[in-house]
Amino acid sequence: MKNNLPFLFLLFSFSLAAQVSESDYLLLRESLIQKINQLRVLKELPPLKSNLLLRKAAKNQSVYMAENKKIGHGQSKNELGTPYKRVRFFKGMEFEIVGENVLHSGKTLLPLNNENIEFIAKKMFESWKNSPEHYANMIKAEYEFGDIDFQFEPEEKIFYATQVFGKKGVKIKGQLSNNAFGISDEDEVCYNAYENYENLIANMGNSIHIEGDKVMFYYHDIAYFNEIFSGNKDGIAIDLVFRDQVSCGTPNQIDYSPIYDGILLKPVFKKEILRNNTANSSYRIISQVGTIPDSLQSKTVSCSVVLIKDGSKCKYLIPGNVPSKRYELRAIQPKLINPSHVNLIKNGIIKSQEINYNFKTNITTPIEYPMIEKVDYPIHAVEITSFSSVEGDQNKNSILHEQRAQTIKKHLQSKVGVKHSEVTIAARENWDKMYFQLRYFFADELADLTKDSLKNILASDDESLPWDSLLFNQRKSIATIHYKGIISDTSDYERILEMNLKTAISSKQFDLANKALFEMYKANIFPSELLFEETIFKAILQYPEITQNSTAILSKSYKKNLSRTVEFLFSWLKKKESLSIASKYNLLHLYTLMSTDLMNSWDLPAKRLSNVVHPNRIQSFVNEDLESKLILNLNLTFIRYFGQINDGPNITKSFNYITEYFKSTSLNIKDEIDLALFFNNWSRYDLTNNFLLSKFYKEKLNEDAVFILLKTLNFYTTDDDEIYVYDEVYLKALELNKRRWCYWVNREFQILRNQGIKDLFCSRCGDVINN
């Protein structure tokens, strides 16, 4: 209970001063208890039973408040610092749940008579009844016991009153430890231990998964994990709670231990969690935190989480299914160039054959000569692209890649009779590949060095990257043989367009290339590997005149080769000055599509590819003149990327943009549901509750929205008002769809800890669950 408590002011005009007698206290106690129990009976709840231990705890707190002339639930001595601790101090070990109401009266003059006592009791009762928090305690179905005591403060002439509520637990058999594995219930170390981590902590309750007999902990952010679990005695213990502990027809069987409610598994601390981490990503944690004993595996079980701080229990988390969904990218059409004055041709490059050559360092003959397919068409042209890797002397490398090109040329001449005039050669050190590789391996600091500095690193014994493999890939060379012919079958439109594109690129007829690309997009023809063929791919990397339409085609075919698409995008990020506004628009659109696909898998290769086009690299393309849909899609992409790498400030920036966009375009309840699901997807349960509660009060939620609100409130509640509307939302959901409500409560059976909900479930859901 919080300490922002209402004050009860009473004023009596009596001329005589006297002490409050024990009989006065007794009459006041009996009158107030009677009124509270009458309220419970009206609510169809059993009256609270008196309990001497609870009364002792109540007296202790009332005396403390009177001595300190201050209302509250705490005390300075740690062993008496909370209502629960005070009950245990007075040997109330069997109490599983403890609650407390406190107040003080207004000035009261003595002596008292029966009429005065009745009046004071009535005012105290009304004070608690008119305070939502205190009223909730008085009518809480779980409480079985309740007792009250007072202390009169003679200087202020006021009564301090305390009522302590309780529910007794049981001793669950089959514990694996007789002392909760040494976990303390000392909460002094827990004060503000998780401040500013409320949402993250709540989500840990849903980070546990049972896989066979293993209990696994999945956590998305190792940096936050290290902040939350800062010490070696910080960790997790799994509490196994079983379905039969909350069965209908019997009282809930919850262990009265202050640490656990079911059967506690051995705790796992920070070092062991990290040592057992099997996640491929350096950002994630996948670690075993428990093993379910063979004797318990046949039972229906739910895993609660005990968070441990410095060896003490700090938080008990109950899992709960919270509906969530991310926004999908909005549909966007790329911008295309249509050279209407250009006509397609019917003769040209009808087929292309790519031949790969691999070289060892400083060697000009390939490791092995490749096979060359026999083709019946005449040769139109041959393009040879040969490379040297970037290590070593630039002049020597120049000789190497030129000689490799000549070796390839001679091989082609000997095998297919290539004429000298048909061959064009492009030979160079493969710096483009090197920079791509460095970004791919997260070596951005190396990618920013000068070429000479990189050569010095390659000449050293540096082992930070798999250099041999990277350099080998840089030396890979390729020859493309183009064959010419005529397509007489005009119905084979796809083949005609492919021929036009290949011919146009070979002859640098950029208008014809754009015409072919435009017609492909218009006709929904996206040949699976066409743009990734070496000659075409080299051209779309090189010529800004065809970037716009090439990007439009890639937006439909990038999945065929994600790596090369990333290379294409990365290449133009470095040459953006030469691009048109429409080309940049299409590149940004392609970026959103491709990055979303990469993050859907987010395995190690995907993560590395995404690093090449990190959002920070694309930012220079983004400006306020872009269409709002594209800016939205970029933020939908950015937030996922920054979420994957746990970049809080940038997550917030995109989150705020997306929220404002959809708030401003929200037209109906479906839009509002989508926004609430988005909040939940980013663990902003507080926003979901506030947003949907405002609609709930105005009766503007449909069934789906009510259930989303119900499930979110069940999992995460902080605001005081939410606590008291909670029952209203439960009842509304039950009214709207009994079957849906019953199946949800049955599935999330720890909800039945709440006696009021259990009573509803057991009385209303038998016919649904059993059929």
Side-chain angles (χ1 to χ4, degrees):
M1 302 294 293
K2 295 183 179 178
N3 293 340
N4 53 331
L5 303 169
F7 290 81
L8 171 63
F9 296 101
L10 304 174
L11 181 60
F12 300 110
S13 299
F14 296 101
S15 58
L16 299 175
Q19 296 296 318
V20 179
S21 68
E22 286 302 318
S23 62
D24 290 339
Y25 282 132
L26 178 61
L27 289 172
L28 182 58
R29 173 176 166 272
E30 289 177 348
S31 179
L32 186 51
I33 287 176
Q34 182 186 42
K35 295 180 190 321
I36 292 168
N37 280 337
Q38 285 174 345
L39 171 66
R40 289 178 64 87
V41 170
L42 284 174
K43 294 290 183 180
E44 298 182 352
L45 297 169
L48 295 170
K49 292 177 280 188
S50 295
N51 182 274
L52 180 60
L53 300 179
L54 298 186
R55 192 187 314 164
K56 287 181 178 181
K59 184 66 174 181
N60 178 270
Q61 182 63 11
S62 295
V63 170
Y64 180 85
M65 292 189 295
E67 289 175 348
N68 291 274
K69 299 180 175 62
K70 183 178 180 181
I71 198 91
H73 294 286
Q75 291 195 27
S76 57
K77 290 183 179 179
N78 186 53
E79 67 269 23
L80 298 168
T82 67
Y84 184 79
K85 284 186 174 183
R86 289 190 286 277
V87 171
R88 291 181 70 80
F89 179 83
F90 289 104
K91 310 303 180 185
M93 303 300 181
E94 71 274 28
F95 283 97
E96 169 220 345
I97 302 174
V98 171
E100 185 179 78
N101 282 353
V102 295
L103 58 74
H104 69 64
S105 70
K107 184 176 290 187
T108 305
L109 299 180
L110 304 179
L112 299 177
N113 57 35
N114 290 350
E115 185 179 349
N116 302 144
I117 290 172
E118 179 64 21
F119 184 76
I120 294 170
K122 182 174 182 290
K123 288 298 182 181
M124 286 182 173
F125 172 72
E126 290 175 350
S127 175
W128 278 336
K129 186 179 179 182
N130 292 329
S131 165
E133 290 185 49
H134 300 86
Y135 179 71
N137 267 343
M138 291 195 295
I139 63 167
K140 190 168 184 176
E142 282 89 342
Y143 290 142
E144 301 169 323
F145 299 88
D147 226 317
I148 301 174
D149 218 323
F150 314 87
Q151 184 65 24
F152 185 74
E153 205 295 303
E155 291 184 9
E156 294 180 320
K157 296 181 175 56
I158 62 176
F159 281 96
Y160 285 87
T162 306
Q163 180 170 23
V164 180
F165 305 88
K167 179 186 184 300
K168 290 186 177 181
V170 299
K171 185 65 177 174
I172 300 294
K173 295 180 180 179
Q175 294 300 327
L176 306 180
S177 168
N178 60 9
N179 69 343
F181 298 97
I183 301 172
S184 168
D185 64 338
E186 174 60 61
D187 63 0
E188 195 171 64
V189 298
C190 300
Y191 185 72
N192 290 335
Y194 303 130
E195 190 175 17
N196 301 322
Y197 297 107
E198 289 86 356
N199 289 2
L200 298 172
I201 290 296
N203 250 345
M204 281 191 177
N206 286 340
S207 298
I208 302 298
H209 301 272
I210 297 175
E211 299 174 2
D213 66 341
K214 295 179 180 179
V215 183
M216 303 298 297
F217 174 59
Y218 286 79
Y219 199 63
H220 69 288
D221 185 340
I222 198 168
Y224 278 132
F225 174 87
N226 283 321
E227 290 180 28
I228 294 167
F229 298 88
S230 57
N232 291 331
K233 294 179 72 176
D234 298 351
I236 289 172
I238 301 302
D239 185 26
L240 302 179
V241 178
F242 302 96
R243 181 65 176 81
D244 55 16
Q245 288 183 251
V246 290
S247 296
C248 291
T250 60
N252 284 347
Q253 303 296 296
I254 302 298
D255 199 293
Y256 58 70
S257 164
I259 308 299
Y260 54 86
D261 293 340
I263 291 181
L264 188 72
L265 301 183
K266 184 180 179 181
V268 183
F269 295 98
K270 178 179 180 178
K271 282 187 176 180
E272 186 177 354
I273 292 172
L274 294 177
R275 185 169 63 248
N276 295 337
N277 185 15
T278 60
N280 289 326
S281 168
S282 59
Y283 304 123
R284 309 283 182 259
I285 294 175
I286 303 175
S287 187
Q288 185 176 351
V289 291
T291 302
I292 298 178
D294 292 343
S295 60
L296 302 178
Q297 289 189 34
S298 62
K299 291 196 170 188
T300 304
V301 64
S302 174
C303 292
S304 294
V305 180
V306 178
L307 292 186
I308 305 166
K309 189 74 175 174
D310 198 21
S312 295
K313 171 192 170 183
C314 269
K315 194 93 174 169
Y316 188 90
L317 304 172
I318 298 174
N321 177 36
V322 185
S324 66
K325 188 176 71 173
R326 65 171 60 98
Y327 281 112
E328 300 299 327
L329 298 178
R330 306 293 100 171
I332 285 179
Q333 292 300 318
K335 302 178 185 296
L336 287 105
I337 301 170
N338 177 19
S340 55
H341 62 286
V342 175
N343 295 317
L344 298 174
I345 59 176
K346 295 180 181 178
N347 63 306
I349 298 175
I350 202 169
K351 181 179 176 64
S352 298
Q353 181 180 180
E354 293 184 352
I355 306 149
N356 295 294
Y357 296 82
N358 294 317
F359 295 90
K360 292 183 178 179
T361 183
N362 294 323
I363 304 298
T364 59
T365 55
I367 295 172
E368 62 179 359
Y369 284 98
M371 297 291 295
I372 300 176
E373 177 190 354
K374 183 178 180 181
V375 178
D376 293 334
Y377 293 109
I379 293 174
H380 172 79
V382 175
E383 297 182 34
I384 296 172
T385 305
S386 74
F387 297 104
S388 59
S389 50
V390 302
E391 85 276 26
D393 180 76
Q394 183 177 356
N395 293 327
K396 290 182 180 178
N397 285 343
S398 179
I399 295 170
L400 272 173
H401 51 242
E402 290 292 347
Q403 288 182 347
R404 286 169 180 161
Q406 293 304 316
T407 300
I408 294 169
K409 180 179 177 181
K410 289 177 182 178
H411 177 243
L412 295 174
Q413 288 174 329
S414 67
K415 294 297 182 182
V416 293
V418 174
K419 299 176 183 177
H420 176 77
S421 60
E422 295 171 332
V423 179
T424 58
I425 292 174
R428 63 184 184 276
E429 285 184 326
N430 203 347
W431 282 103
D432 287 339
K433 178 69 75 175
M434 171 59 121
Y435 287 124
F436 178 81
Q437 291 169 334
L438 293 175
R439 302 292 185 192
Y440 181 84
F441 278 93
F442 300 94
D444 289 30
E445 71 285 353
L446 296 182
D448 293 333
L449 296 177
T450 64
K451 291 181 179 180
D452 287 340
S453 297
L454 278 171
K455 284 181 178 287
N456 289 335
I457 289 173
L458 291 169
S460 69
D461 294 328
D462 180 78
E463 296 181 355
S464 60
L465 291 174
W467 293 116
D468 288 345
S469 173
L470 302 185
L471 296 172
F472 177 79
N473 281 314
Q474 290 174 23
R475 293 189 290 271
K476 287 186 175 183
S477 302
I478 191 166
T480 304
I481 305 174
H482 299 295
Y483 302 92
K484 57 187 175 184
I486 299 173
I487 299 177
S488 55
D489 182 5
T490 56
S491 65
D492 194 350
Y493 197 47
E494 179 174 338
R495 196 172 175 213
I496 290 174
L497 293 177
E498 287 188 35
M499 183 191 71
N500 273 265
L501 180 61
K502 290 179 177 182
T503 305
I505 284 177
S506 177
S507 57
K508 297 184 177 58
Q509 298 179 61
F510 299 130
D511 281 349
L512 179 58
N514 279 326
K515 184 69 174 182
L517 291 166
F518 175 85
E519 293 297 332
M520 283 180 187
Y521 193 93
K522 179 181 174 183
N524 289 315
I525 294 172
F526 307 107
S528 60
E529 295 293 341
L530 180 63
L531 262 61
F532 302 117
E533 290 182 8
E534 184 62 26
T535 300
I536 296 177
F537 188 69
K538 184 171 66 175
I540 66 174
L541 289 179
Q542 183 178 359
Y543 301 120
E545 294 89 346
I546 56 174
T547 302
Q548 182 177 335
N549 281 13
S550 297
T551 308
I553 295 295
L554 280 172
S555 71
K556 297 294 186 180
S557 57
Y558 66 90
K559 293 182 181 180
K560 305 297 181 182
N561 196 324
L562 277 167
S563 180
R564 281 216 144 178
T565 306
V566 171
E567 188 176 349
F568 166 81
L569 186 57
F570 178 64
S571 174
W572 286 112
L573 290 179
K574 299 188 298 180
K575 300 180 291 186
K576 57 181 179 291
E577 304 81 15
S578 61
L579 294 173
S580 66
I581 293 174
S583 293
K584 293 178 182 178
Y585 178 95
N586 285 358
L587 285 165
L588 288 173
H589 172 52
L590 174 61
Y591 167 82
T592 64
L593 298 172
M594 180 192 63
S595 295
T596 298
D597 264 359
L598 287 171
M599 288 182 286
N600 281 339
S601 61
W602 205 252
D603 55 12
L604 190 58
K607 187 174 79 168
R608 286 175 170 169
L609 285 171
S610 288
N611 183 62
V612 179
V613 285
H614 187 290
N616 289 345
R617 304 191 214 288
I618 206 87
Q619 288 287 359
S620 60
F621 273 43
V622 181
N623 60 70
E624 295 179 356
D625 296 332
L626 293 173
E627 294 175 14
S628 59
K629 270 190 183 180
L630 181 54
I631 295 179
L632 173 66
N633 280 359
L634 286 164
N635 277 285
L636 291 172
T637 307
F638 293 164
I639 195 171
R640 288 193 62 188
Y641 190 98
F642 290 128
Q644 295 280 18
I645 64 171
N646 310 313
D647 183 336
N650 277 313
I651 291 173
T652 300
K653 184 178 178 181
S654 289
F655 180 91
N656 290 340
Y657 181 90
I658 294 165
T659 297
E660 290 306 313
Y661 180 93
F662 283 108
K663 275 187 176 179
S664 65
T665 58
S666 178
L667 300 175
N668 52 46
I669 187 62
K670 183 183 181 303
D671 295 333
E672 292 170 347
I673 287 174
D674 287 344
L675 184 58
L677 293 174
F678 169 74
F679 290 154
N680 280 352
N681 187 66
W682 289 95
S683 302
R684 290 305 307 272
Y685 311 116
D686 54 327
L687 295 181
T688 297
N689 290 337
N690 291 337
F691 180 62
L692 292 183
L693 276 174
S694 66
K695 309 290 181 182
F696 181 81
Y697 291 133
K698 299 174 183 176
E699 299 184 350
K700 291 185 176 181
L701 298 185
N702 64 8
E703 178 186 317
D704 287 338
V706 168
F707 272 87
I708 291 168
L709 174 59
L710 174 62
K711 292 176 181 181
T712 309
L713 281 170
N714 177 69
F715 181 70
Y716 185 86
T717 306
T718 56
D719 188 88
D720 294 341
D721 290 339
E722 293 168 9
I723 297 172
Y724 309 111
V725 77
Y726 192 27
D727 290 344
E728 295 179 44
V729 178
Y730 258 102
L731 292 170
K732 185 65 176 179
L734 178 59
E735 173 193 327
L736 288 170
N737 192 325
K738 174 182 171 181
R739 177 176 292 273
R740 183 176 182 179
W741 187 91
C742 292
Y743 274 110
W744 171 65
V745 174
N746 190 57
R747 186 171 56 252
E748 306 280 334
F749 63 81
Q750 289 210 55
I751 296 169
L752 298 174
R753 290 166 172 266
N754 183 308
Q755 188 63 46
I757 296 168
K758 182 178 178 180
D759 291 343
L760 273 176
F761 176 83
C762 295
S763 64
R764 303 285 296 276
C765 294
D767 59 328
V768 173
I769 300 302
N770 296 325
N771 292 330

